[in-house]
Amino acid sequence: MTNTKAHTTALITPIAQEAQNEGKELAAEGRFIKAIRRLRKDSGLSLATAPVAMDLLIQGHALPTSYGQALDALRQIDAPLVAELSALLNSGHRDSAIKLLRERTDIDLAGGYHLVTELSGQLDTK
């Protein structure tokens, strides 16, 4: 069974479309390890999360290519978490929002920072 944190993280970590396409091609050739390495190369996916992302791609799921898409995916997966992050940001607690996101997912520090920054930017425009 897939780790829920790893599954969520795979769905909210942007991966360049080129890397996704190359990963799918490599997996279709039976070169799964190389496919996973390709996904990890530029994405920040961990060793635990990259195989989950590869499985999702093979199953036909679309993975985000930008933090805007990643935030949309997070809203669909865990709207209450986005609400908590928004509340923290509205009260000036950006670091706490990043920490909470990282506790609830397996996203890396840079990914957490960028995703929270994307949310902050969207909140500022409302």
Side-chain angles (χ1 to χ4, degrees):
M1 175 153 172
T2 301
N3 173 332
T4 304
K5 280 179 146 183
H7 187 264
T8 299
T9 304
L11 290 170
I12 65 167
T13 301
I15 302 171
Q17 191 61 55
E18 180 182 333
Q20 291 184 41
N21 294 341
E22 287 177 23
K24 285 191 280 190
E25 288 174 18
L26 290 165
E29 296 169 2
R31 300 166 65 191
F32 296 104
I33 301 296
K34 190 161 183 141
I36 290 167
R37 277 193 208 128
R38 178 60 185 109
L39 290 185
R40 290 191 68 220
K41 183 178 178 188
D42 300 317
S43 68
L45 288 171
S46 70
L47 283 173
T49 306
V52 176
M54 192 71 251
D55 287 343
L56 289 167
L57 281 174
I58 291 169
Q59 294 168 14
H61 290 274
L63 298 179
T65 57
S66 69
Y67 283 101
Q69 291 175 355
L71 184 56
D72 291 341
L74 184 58
R75 281 189 175 105
Q76 291 178 356
I77 297 165
D78 195 346
L81 173 58
V82 175
E84 287 181 65
L85 296 172
S86 298
L88 286 168
L89 287 170
N90 286 332
S91 61
H93 299 285
R94 177 185 298 261
D95 291 345
S96 295
I98 295 167
K99 182 179 178 186
L100 177 63
L101 178 61
R102 294 192 69 221
E103 287 171 355
R104 299 268 185 91
T105 68
D106 285 333
I107 200 162
D108 68 333
L109 181 58
Y113 170 81
H114 290 297
L115 197 55
V116 166
T117 299
E118 179 71 27
L119 177 58
S120 179
Q122 289 185 13
L123 293 172
D124 290 343
T125 60
K126 289 185 179 179

